[in-house]
Amino acid sequence: MPVVRPSEAVTHEMHGARFVSYAAARTGARELAAWRGEIPGGTKAPAHTVSHEEIFHLLEGELVVTLDGRTERITPGDTVIVGPGTLFTVENPTDRTAVSWVTTSLGLQARLEDGTRLTPPWAC
């Protein structure tokens, strides 16, 4: 039974946010990836699409998310389901760090609006 301790999680930083990877191929996952996202106050992630469905659950703080032009304010306990190919933006308009838990399929890729493709290491 693979157990990933907090001390074994790998931290990555990108676009002003921190991603702490727990479930990934390197930790024994075969199908899913899962990480904690930490989005500091005042941070706005660039608009992007994802290749696989992503489940984004807010644990702490408050965020404004936009999916294909529809904007919603989310609070702790809210879950956003991001479909493949959906244009997705996350913004923290507050002065507190927001914390989320995200789950997706291994191998997720993201594409920024300018066409740049990213393979987030925390999703592989």
Side-chain angles (χ1 to χ4, degrees):
M1 168 177 59
V3 174
V4 181
R5 308 282 180 206
S7 62
E8 299 167 329
V10 176
T11 300
H12 304 276
E13 295 192 16
M14 181 184 286
H15 303 297
R18 175 176 291 141
F19 304 88
V20 184
S21 174
Y22 290 87
R26 66 165 184 73
T27 58
R30 294 185 182 171
E31 297 180 20
L32 299 175
W35 61 88
R36 186 179 73 236
E38 300 169 1
I39 303 129
T43 300
K44 182 174 182 179
H48 61 284
T49 60
V50 290
S51 59
H52 303 303
E53 182 175 70
E54 187 175 271
I55 307 301
F56 185 99
H57 181 77
L58 191 61
L59 299 169
E60 297 175 25
E62 187 175 323
L63 294 171
V64 174
V65 297
T66 302
L67 294 172
D68 279 343
R70 182 174 175 209
T71 301
E72 295 277 344
R73 185 173 293 272
I74 63 170
T75 58
D78 290 343
T79 299
V80 178
I81 300 169
V82 183
T86 301
L87 189 62
F88 180 48
T89 303
V90 177
E91 179 178 3
N92 183 345
T94 74
D95 59 358
R96 290 185 44 221
T97 296
V99 179
S100 63
W101 184 260
V102 180
T103 303
T104 189
S105 301
L106 286 175
L108 173 116
Q109 292 187 346
R111 179 180 281 196
L112 302 180
E113 282 188 298
D114 68 4
T116 302
R117 289 184 184 200
L118 302 172
T119 302
W122 54 88
C124 296

